[in-house]
Amino acid sequence: MKERSLIFFDIDGTLLNHKKQLPASTKEAIFKLKEIGHEVAIATGRAPFMFEDLREELGIGTYVSYNGQYVVLNGEEVFTNPLNEEALLQLTETALANNHPIVYMDHEDMKANVPEHEFITESIATLKIKSFPTYDPKYYEGRKLFQSLLFVQEGEEVQYEEEFKDFDFVRWHPVSVDVLPSGGSKAKGIEKLVEKFGIPEERVYAFGDGLNDLEMLTTIHNSVAMGNGVDEVKDVAKYVTKSVEEDGILHGLKMVGLL
């Protein structure tokens, strides 16, 4: 048997194609990795409740969610990095004054601070998930939130970046940005799991395609960008595989010698 490695996969544009479908070759490759004895994990900007079906289908119980803010090892929470509640309240007040809605997110649910808004409907619909944020403007009170969504058009987030240094703002949709704790990233969450597994960095791999994968692919020893990934990701990755539509995961795993 080959030495055990730890492989992290992003979801959207990496495991799932643009139609949010899991290619058959990807599923087979994941099961082959596990059969060989490797550890397989997910590293995503999604909330845990947004990929339960995928975890079940692939038999994966270890994941980095919310871009590193909520980390689970074999079904057990091992690391959390919540948003600063006071700063989030200030952000909410500014956003409301600018007619920019917010969605608050913990590990179980998400709630919007407005009853409805076209930007929320438009962006969440692209995820093709079962859940949808319902209205609860006080959801941030007395609970740990690991991410929020701020609904602004491209360029409008600049004023928030300048004013709210407790947060990082990462665009994931033309009308929405992720709001994360400053310095929080998939890479930080992955670091916690690598420590738990005790696997040396030269046997850690990561696959991704988007801007929220930049730090992960910059810091992970064996980084693989998807062929459909953005140029910034391809520039920092050690390897570039084919697109998700062209069996990119299977091709990439063979390229790096895991399969």
Side-chain angles (χ1 to χ4, degrees), residues 22-30 244 246-250:
L22 178 69
S25 64
T26 297
K27 184 174 180 178
E28 291 167 11
I30 297 296
V244 63
E246 301 173 300
D247 303 322
I249 293 296
L250 177 60

Coordinates of all heavy atoms in Angstrom, one line a residue, residues 22-30 244 246-250:
L22 N -22.3 15.8 -9.7 CA -21.1 15.0 -9.3 C -20.8 14.1 -10.5 O -21.5 13.1 -10.7 CB -21.3 14.3 -8.0 CG -20.1 13.4 -7.6 CD1 -18.9 14.3 -7.1 CD2 -20.5 12.5 -6.4
P23 N -19.7 14.3 -11.2 CA -19.4 13.4 -12.3 C -19.1 12.0 -11.8 O -18.5 11.8 -10.7 CB -18.1 14.0 -12.9 CG -18.2 15.5 -12.5 CD -18.8 15.5 -11.2
A24 N -19.5 11.0 -12.6 CA -19.3 9.6 -12.2 C -17.9 9.3 -12.0 O -17.5 8.6 -11.0 CB -19.9 8.7 -13.2
S25 N -17.0 9.8 -12.8 CA -15.5 9.6 -12.7 C -15.0 10.1 -11.3 O -14.1 9.5 -10.7 CB -14.8 10.2 -13.8 OG -14.9 11.6 -13.8
T26 N -15.6 11.2 -10.9 CA -15.1 11.8 -9.6 C -15.5 10.9 -8.5 O -14.7 10.7 -7.6 CB -15.7 13.2 -9.5 OG1 -15.3 14.1 -10.5 CG2 -15.4 13.8 -8.1
K27 N -16.8 10.5 -8.5 CA -17.2 9.6 -7.4 C -16.4 8.3 -7.3 O -16.0 7.9 -6.2 CB -18.7 9.3 -7.6 CG -19.3 8.4 -6.5 CD -20.8 8.3 -6.7 CE -21.5 7.4 -5.6 NZ -22.9 7.3 -5.8
E28 N -16.2 7.7 -8.5 CA -15.3 6.5 -8.5 C -13.9 6.8 -8.0 O -13.4 6.0 -7.2 CB -15.3 6.0 -9.9 CG -16.6 5.4 -10.4 CD -16.6 5.2 -11.9 OE1 -15.5 5.3 -12.6 OE2 -17.7 5.0 -12.5
A29 N -13.4 7.9 -8.3 CA -12.0 8.3 -7.9 C -11.9 8.4 -6.4 O -11.0 8.0 -5.7 CB -11.6 9.5 -8.6
I30 N -13.0 9.1 -5.8 CA -13.0 9.3 -4.4 C -13.0 8.0 -3.6 O -12.3 7.7 -2.7 CB -14.2 10.2 -4.0 CG1 -14.1 11.6 -4.6 CG2 -14.3 10.2 -2.4 CD1 -13.0 12.4 -4.1
V244 N -13.6 20.3 -14.6 CA -14.4 19.3 -13.9 C -15.3 18.6 -14.9 O -15.6 17.4 -14.7 CB -15.3 20.1 -12.8 CG1 -16.2 21.1 -13.5 CG2 -16.1 19.1 -12.0
E246 N -14.3 17.6 -17.7 CA -13.5 16.7 -18.5 C -12.8 15.7 -17.6 O -11.6 15.3 -17.8 CB -12.4 17.5 -19.3 CG -13.0 18.5 -20.3 CD -11.9 19.3 -20.9 OE1 -11.2 20.0 -20.1 OE2 -11.7 19.3 -22.1
D247 N -13.5 15.2 -16.5 CA -13.0 14.3 -15.6 C -11.7 14.8 -14.9 O -10.7 14.1 -14.7 CB -12.7 12.9 -16.2 CG -13.9 12.3 -16.9 OD1 -15.0 12.5 -16.3 OD2 -13.8 11.7 -18.0
G248 N -11.7 16.1 -14.6 CA -10.6 16.8 -14.0 C -10.0 16.2 -12.7 O -8.8 16.2 -12.5
I249 N -10.9 15.7 -11.8 CA -10.5 15.2 -10.6 C -9.7 13.9 -10.8 O -8.6 13.7 -10.3 CB -11.7 14.9 -9.6 CG1 -12.3 16.2 -9.2 CG2 -11.2 14.1 -8.4 CD1 -11.4 17.1 -8.3
L250 N -10.3 13.0 -11.6 CA -9.6 11.7 -11.9 C -8.3 12.0 -12.6 O -7.2 11.4 -12.2 CB -10.5 10.9 -12.8 CG -9.9 9.5 -13.3 CD1 -9.6 8.6 -12.1 CD2 -10.9 8.8 -14.3

